Structure formats: structure tokens, C-alpha cells
Amino acid sequence: MSKTLIVTGASRGIGAATARQAAAAGYAVCVNYRASAAEAEEVVHDIGNAGGTALAVQADMASEDDIVRLFETSDKELGALCGLVNNAGIVGPVARVDEIDRAALDEVLNVNVASVFLCSREAIRRLSTHHGGKGGAIVNVSSRASELGGPNEWVHYAASKGAIDTFTIGLAKEVAAEGIRVNAVNPGLIETEIHERAGVGDRLERLVTGVPMQRTGTADEVAATIIWLLSDAASYVSGALVPVGGGR
Ligand code: NAD
């Protein structure tokens, strides 16, 4: 029986690592991407070469129509859904609150918050026993920033992840008796392109001294926690916000 997982923003970084590990764990993986078709196809190719099943589907997480189409395509091509990883996220510009502009704020809140509501809505309609589903698991990729606040860097981003923490707690309670577990991971300083692309390539080096383990983390270390939260090994875990940050 197929078990299908949708991972949003899976063309690189934590999403790509999650897609690869999920395929190795036996999931048929729907690899969502927005613009990086070549990178997404490479993830799918690697999964296929390793004997797994995956499909790349273009969809902008800022668009409700795209989100609906992503889930419909996954249903049609990969079969019954069993899980969702809400991973796609952006930091927006480096800016103090007194510098932020409305368009940047809208984009961060659309991609980091509204998309998580809408993807989860689509997943619940398929997974919930109230809707005739068989249950499943949702993992949201939040951030340690929700607790730290992101001052002088990106309070807008940190606050968007704060919304994800609260969403995780609330949704977990809402669907707990319908066979769906909802959890979050809160990564710390992880080696992906997100820092460089935001124009702060020196960020990991600058901030690593504040990490108790005195090192940055890898996308694979975050992915391993996500895979555990999706799995039956975490069958009594819901509403958890799991820090993956080399110590608190
Ligand atoms: P990344 O920039 O390498 O990956 C982000 C992914 O999201 C990319 O595949 C990108 O294409 C995708 N994406 C962005 N906007 C999208 C959209 N509108 N539609 C579809 N896909 C979109 O960064 P990453 O570090 O792998 O980030 C993954 C998640 O981890 C994000 O939610 C991020 O906030 C979170 N996170 C990262 C760190 C870190 O240090 N790297 C720390 C805490 C949390």
C-alpha cells in the first residue's frame, strides 16, 4: 500500500533532505518546488536511483490555487496521502521593524503562515477520520527564531514562526481525536542556502558561538527529526515543538 508524503519547498535545503530521507523510509514523495525545476528533478532522480518513488510538482505556496492543484496532482499521481511537511519558508529582507515595507511583510506572512494553514486544510480534508480518511501526520518547520525574536535582523520572520508554533499547538488539539498528529521542529543555525540568499552569508559563522554545542547543524539532522515525528515511533506525540538547535 502506498504511503504518500507531500513536502513543500523540497528542491533544496531541509526540504530536499526530508524528501530523500522520507523516500528511503518508504514514502512516495511529492517534491514541491516554486521555481527550481532542475533542483527538484535532481531530488526526484536521486530518489528514483535509490529505488524510491517521487514526483516533482511546481506550485507557489503563496497561491491558494497552486496549493489546491498540488494536492490534487499528488492524489492523482501518487495515491492516498498519509502526511505533510510544511517546510517552504522565506526570511524576507534583513530589516528592523521601523524599516519594513508592506509588500515584504505580506510575502513573508503569505509563504510562512497562510500557506501552512491552506496546505494543512487540504491535508486534513484527506486524512481526518471525520472526512473518511485514515489519519496521518503533519510536521511544520518552524524556527528557534520564534523564541529568540530575531531583533535587528528579521522580527517579521521570527513572528511568522511564532504563528506556526501557536498553529501547531491549536491544530494538534483540534484534530487529535481524528487520527492526525501535528508537530513542529524548531531548527537553530542550519547549513542551507537561506542565509546566503538573504545576503547574510557570514551569519552562521557570526552566531555559532551562541550555540551550546558550538557548531551549526545540517539539513539531514533536521530531516531525521521530521521523519521521526512523521513515523509510528512518535505515535503518542502531538502538539510538540521540538528544538533542533544544538542545545537550548
Ligand atoms: P532554503 O532557502 O534552502 O529552502 C527553502 C525552500 O522553500 C526552497 O526550496 C524554496 O524554493 C522554498 N520556497 C520558498 N518560497 C516558496 C514558495 N512561495 N513556494 C514554494 N516553495 C517555496 O532554506 P532552508 O533552510 O532549507 O529552509 C527550510 C525551512 O526551514 C524554512 O521554513 C525555514 O524558515 C526553516 N528554518 C531554517 C533554518 C536555517 O538555519 N536554515 C533555521 C530555522 C528554520
Side-chain angles (χ1 to χ4, degrees):
M1 225 174 65
S2 84
K3 48 175 193 173
T4 297
L5 178 73
I6 294 178
V7 184
T8 68
S11 59
R12 62 171 189 265
I14 294 168
T18 301
R20 288 191 167 97
Q21 287 189 27
Y27 295 91
V29 186
C30 182
V31 175
N32 160 248
Y33 68 96
R34 180 190 49 181
S36 322
E39 284 179 304
E41 289 299 349
E42 195 182 319
V43 174
V44 168
H45 183 78
D46 289 351
I47 288 173
N49 274 353
T53 303
L55 175 75
V57 179
Q58 190 283 332
D60 183 350
M61 291 302 99
S63 156
E64 181 172 9
D65 287 349
D66 278 19
I67 288 170
V68 170
R69 179 175 49 74
L70 168 68
F71 279 78
E72 287 173 352
T73 307
S74 176
D75 290 344
K76 203 162 75 182
E77 304 291 335
L78 295 174
L81 192 71
C82 78
L84 165 69
V85 180
N86 283 311
N87 167 76
I90 55 172
V91 290
V94 173
R96 284 170 46 102
V97 174
D98 54 9
E99 296 164 346
I100 196 79
D101 70 76
R102 182 61 195 258
L105 190 59
D106 281 349
E107 198 188 352
V108 169
L109 296 178
N110 262 330
V111 176
N112 293 7
V113 184
S115 85
V116 175
F117 271 81
L118 297 174
C119 286
S120 299
R121 178 191 74 190
E122 293 305 309
I124 292 160
R125 288 176 179 174
R126 289 161 173 79
L127 301 177
S128 168
T129 53
H130 277 194
H131 293 286
K134 294 189 170 131
I138 297 173
V139 177
N140 300 320
V141 182
S142 180
S143 172
R144 287 294 321 283
S146 66
E147 198 181 331
L148 301 171
N152 300 307
E153 200 171 35
W154 37 54
V155 172
H156 44 280
Y157 169 74
S160 76
K161 296 299 190 179
I164 294 311
D165 289 356
T166 305
F167 174 77
T168 301
I169 293 165
L171 180 62
K173 290 177 179 170
E174 198 163 287
V175 297
E178 300 171 27
I180 305 175
R181 296 182 300 102
V182 184
N183 292 290
V185 290
N186 295 62
L189 285 178
I190 309 300
E191 298 150 21
T192 70
E193 292 177 23
I194 202 167
H195 318 279
E196 183 96 46
R197 282 172 183 263
V200 282
D202 66 336
R203 191 168 176 269
L204 295 176
E205 202 184 339
R206 232 182 331 111
L207 300 178
V208 71
T209 51
V211 177
M213 287 187 192
Q214 297 290 295
R215 69 166 178 89
T216 52
T218 66
D220 269 325
E221 289 178 304
V222 181
T225 307
I226 294 171
I227 299 300
W228 171 70
L229 285 168
L230 290 169
S231 77
D232 287 344
S235 56
Y236 202 50
V237 181
S238 197
L241 311 175
V242 183
V244 186
R248 209 161 179 166

